[in-house]
Amino acid sequence: MNLTLKVWRQKGPEDKGRMVTYRVEDVSPDMSFLEMLDVLNERLILEGDDPVAFDHDCREGICGMCGMVINGVAHGEQVATTTCQLHMRHFEDNAVITIEPWRAAPFPVVKDLVVDRSAFDRIIQAGGFVSVPAGSAPDAHSVPVKKVDADAAFDAATCIGCGACVAACPNGSASLFTAAKITHLSLLPQGQPERDSRAKAMVEQMDAEGFGGCTNTGECTAVCPKGIPLDTIAQMNRDYLRASK
């Protein structure tokens, strides 16, 4: 495959940034999207040019490090797929592909496609934990949990914190991320002692970081690689309302 890439290049947070066009040839359809960028970077290095900076780690769709807007869609147009699991066979030969970083004020660009997502870390630090004694695993079924609650908690816990929800939201809201981190604890017995304080602290930290408010557009769940449902935000709002009272 031969491709034309229009890649966002930005030397640092203070740089204005610009789109740069590159031609990439002989791309295997079996390559992942990141492997295709590796091929581009190898050529740029050989030519003495600066390689395109982008986040990545496990390349297995579980760490949440990779993230870029591909043809205007966070992670690309494949449903429930991270950038690292997106393969080039989903693109046409001689396609023109635009690649940009996450766009949100709380996610400042570090370089090229790399953004600073430490705002997510501070939201977690505000209350995304349980203060319980650690020890050996309890006996099975020693603490009964309704299956509907267990299923919803596990669904919320699949959030990998990639930030696609923020990049896709027209308001730049982190509500889906924050809701997932609150809900997967608030539905389980271990999360009950701090349920109210957790919801209040994490939502207020989300607002303090400068993320926008949720208006139920639904773009977040549409691009979420783990398919976290929109009603997770409703659960967070209920917890926050109760905590505020």
Side-chain angles (χ1 to χ4, degrees):
M1 300 171 63
N2 298 320
L3 304 168
T4 299
L5 307 181
K6 294 185 177 181
V7 185
W8 181 260
R9 302 304 306 265
Q10 186 171 338
K11 294 180 180 179
E14 304 304 322
D15 185 35
K16 187 176 181 180
R18 68 201 185 283
M19 298 296 288
V20 179
T21 301
Y22 299 101
R23 186 69 175 169
V24 183
E25 299 179 344
D26 297 327
V27 174
S28 169
D30 295 324
M31 283 183 177
S32 72
F33 198 86
L34 297 188
E35 288 172 337
M36 181 272 296
L37 290 179
D38 290 338
V39 170
L40 170 63
N41 280 343
E42 288 175 2
R43 195 192 79 199
L44 293 177
I45 292 171
L46 290 174
E47 294 174 351
D49 202 351
D50 193 24
V52 178
F54 59 91
D55 275 326
H56 63 98
D57 192 358
C58 74
R59 299 200 177 198
E60 295 179 353
I62 56 176
C63 74
M65 281 297 295
C66 65
M68 53 193 75
V69 178
I70 303 169
N71 289 339
V73 181
H75 287 307
E77 297 179 0
Q78 289 300 117
V79 177
T81 304
T82 56
T83 301
C84 61
Q85 294 293 291
L86 178 64
H87 286 79
M88 301 314 299
R89 56 179 169 267
H90 298 296
F91 296 90
E92 298 291 336
D93 188 26
N94 292 312
V96 178
I97 304 173
T98 61
I99 310 172
E100 301 173 83
W102 292 161
R103 301 288 190 183
F107 287 168
V109 174
V110 177
K111 183 179 180 181
D112 296 337
L113 304 176
V114 178
V115 298
D116 181 359
R117 287 174 282 186
S118 57
F120 274 7
D121 297 330
R122 291 187 289 272
I123 293 174
I124 294 295
Q125 290 168 1
F129 50 84
V130 290
S131 298
V132 296
S136 60
D139 293 335
H141 305 301
S142 62
V143 181
V145 180
K146 293 180 180 179
K147 188 176 188 304
V148 63
D149 291 338
D151 289 345
F154 282 133
D155 287 344
T158 59
C159 172
I160 57 177
C162 64
C165 52
V166 177
C169 179
N171 305 324
S173 175
S175 292
L176 192 67
F177 164 79
T178 307
K181 298 304 180 183
I182 290 174
T183 301
H184 89 269
L185 296 175
S186 66
L187 291 176
L188 299 178
Q190 295 88 341
Q192 298 310 307
E194 296 154 313
R195 180 170 182 169
D196 290 347
S197 61
R198 177 187 304 111
K200 194 169 188 298
M202 293 181 70
V203 170
E204 290 175 354
Q205 184 63 40
M206 175 184 68
D207 292 339
E209 294 293 341
F211 292 104
C214 175
T215 52
N216 292 321
T217 304
E219 291 291 334
C220 54
T221 190
V223 300
C224 177
K226 300 304 176 181
I228 295 174
L230 196 62
D231 59 8
T232 309
I233 298 176
Q235 179 65 50
M236 175 187 72
N237 290 338
R238 286 192 293 269
D239 284 355
Y240 180 75
L241 181 62
R242 188 179 75 170
S244 299
K245 289 183 176 181

